[in-house]
Amino acid sequence: MTKNENTTPQTRLGRTGPSVFPIGLGCMGMSALYGEADRAESLTTIHAALDAGVTLLDTGDFYGMGHNELLINEALRTAPAEAREKALTSVKFGALRTVEGGFTGYDGRPEAVKNFLAYSLQRLGRDHIDIYRIARVDPDVPIEETVGAIAEAVEAGHVRHIGLSEVGAESMRRAAAVAPIADLQIEYSLISRGIEEEILPAARELGIGVTAYGVLSRGLISGHFARDRALAPGDFRGMSPRFQPENLDRNLDLVEALRKVAEGKGVSVAQTAIAWVLAQGPRHGVDIVPLVGARRRDRLTEALGAMAITLSPEDLNAIEEAVPAGAAAGERYPAAQMAHLDSEH
């Protein structure tokens, strides 16, 4: 981690990516998959993140079918000029949706890349996207073709950096052979550690950073999720294997074990889980930026507090004893969605 002239901490995303605040804001939940969100609070939360120094705003063109990009547009238009100029947009594309909100596949054809990009630029109200990536590998289109199309957009000035999402080590190497890759966006948390065996070493080898989503496993390991919580209609977690009754109690038992460690340090469970992810960059020799999906200012403040936590080797051991690798019950997505994850094959 380095500091710029304003002493704001920064993390460089890989050898070729941008320098960003050490924690990014994942904006998906403000538009989709977690039930209804408060629009005014969402906008205020984005403003609070920018005011705190956060620079990376992560979204997808399919989050609320464009709603999230329009929300970010409004937030940036109404933010102070200095914050607006420092903000960086990270956009995923390619998911095919239905009117009912279902997912029907992914489109990584070069002509589709250009189409998705044109719509995103319009909705965001910007002349470029800072990091652009396909959300999932299209099994019918070689990753080289998809990345090549984004590389053309970089040459044209419409995109600044190329990212990847949920790809395995082999696909990462194939993509990096086509053009410089700034970062890989992938799920990584105390209970989702599958990337440590092959993917993180490949990222280190290729000089690719990691933007880690799901660092609180969709609230499961935040310390705020109650065993008897009733989920709102349309909440993705109602279909998530880790939130099913047969798995939830086991997973929340892990959270209670983590709570004891957190209380011993005088910090929250969420802060401990985020601080653990922050500590993994130096441990694995990879630039790792956690994306926190805060939809409210209080949750944002809590998450950013993780940056002030120093975890000793003894702390890290205690955390990993409380939540051992592979201890979570249930997969991170339903089977149909797991099938789309190149990172899992």
Side-chain angles (χ1 to χ4, degrees):
M1 188 181 300
T2 59
K3 292 180 181 290
N4 65 17
E5 67 274 13
N6 296 319
T7 69
T8 302
Q10 298 283 298
T11 299
R12 179 77 178 267
L13 282 176
R15 285 197 291 261
T16 65
S19 291
V20 301
F21 192 77
I23 290 177
L25 182 63
C27 300
M28 180 188 75
M30 298 175 180
S31 298
L33 298 181
Y34 292 124
E36 188 173 352
D38 183 322
R39 183 181 183 84
E41 181 64 20
S42 295
L43 291 168
T44 304
T45 299
I46 295 174
H47 287 162
L50 295 171
D51 185 60
V54 172
T55 51
L56 189 64
L57 303 178
D58 184 77
T59 184
D61 64 9
F62 51 93
Y63 293 167
M65 280 68 119
H67 178 278
N68 204 238
E69 291 178 318
L70 291 169
L71 185 76
I72 290 173
N73 180 335
E74 182 176 350
L76 292 177
R77 280 191 292 106
T78 53
E82 183 179 3
R84 182 168 60 248
E85 290 166 5
K86 291 181 179 178
L88 303 177
T89 53
S90 167
V91 179
K92 291 177 292 297
F93 69 89
L96 304 176
R97 306 293 304 272
T98 65
V99 173
E100 295 75 23
F103 288 84
T104 60
Y106 297 89
D107 192 345
R109 295 172 301 142
E111 56 268 39
V113 173
K114 296 174 183 178
N115 178 77
F116 288 127
L117 176 59
Y119 279 85
S120 283
L121 289 170
Q122 178 68 25
R123 284 188 292 258
L124 288 167
R126 294 169 78 86
D127 63 4
H128 71 276
I129 288 169
D130 294 285
I131 311 176
Y132 201 50
R133 70 189 87 237
I134 190 166
R136 301 287 186 268
V137 174
D138 182 343
D140 298 321
V141 179
I143 190 69
E144 292 87 348
E145 293 185 15
T146 303
V147 168
I150 305 175
E152 290 180 6
V154 172
E155 292 176 6
H158 304 313
V159 171
R160 294 281 168 82
H161 302 279
I162 304 171
L164 298 170
S165 176
E166 285 290 353
V167 303
E170 179 185 353
S171 294
M172 205 185 326
R173 291 190 178 95
R174 287 170 54 194
V178 175
I181 305 297
D183 73 314
L184 165 66
Q185 188 170 123
I186 197 162
E187 185 168 355
Y188 188 40
S189 72
L190 269 168
I191 62 171
S192 295
R193 296 178 58 182
I195 70 173
E196 293 176 348
E197 185 174 346
E198 295 183 358
I199 293 174
L200 281 183
R204 181 177 65 245
E205 166 199 334
L206 297 167
I208 295 173
V210 169
T211 41
Y213 75 88
V215 292
L216 296 179
S217 196
R218 299 163 183 83
L220 181 60
I221 60 172
S222 67
H224 301 300
F225 198 92
R227 294 177 190 268
D228 59 352
R229 178 173 173 175
L231 295 173
D235 192 318
F236 162 81
R237 291 170 292 190
M239 298 183 295
S240 173
R242 289 180 177 171
F243 288 85
Q244 299 311 302
E246 64 271 22
N247 296 326
L248 185 60
D249 279 346
R250 164 61 181 158
N251 292 331
L252 290 180
D253 285 344
L254 296 174
V255 175
E256 292 311 305
L258 182 61
R259 192 185 304 276
K260 293 179 181 178
V261 179
E263 289 175 347
K265 287 191 66 68
V267 298
S268 74
V269 174
Q271 289 170 334
T272 303
I274 296 167
W276 180 88
V277 176
L278 283 167
Q280 301 315 300
R283 291 178 89 186
H284 293 278
V286 179
D287 304 308
I288 299 178
V289 173
L291 298 172
V292 298
R295 299 196 294 173
R296 298 177 355 211
R297 283 165 287 175
D298 58 339
R299 294 288 192 252
L300 172 69
T301 299
E302 179 185 27
L304 295 180
M307 291 175 54
I309 300 172
T310 299
L311 297 177
S312 67
E314 293 74 21
D315 292 330
L316 291 168
N317 287 337
I319 290 168
E320 290 166 13
E321 286 177 8
V323 186
E331 297 284 2
R332 55 196 183 100
Y333 285 102
Q337 294 185 38
M338 288 292 288
H340 285 296
L341 298 178
D342 180 80
S343 55
E344 295 287 342
H345 303 302

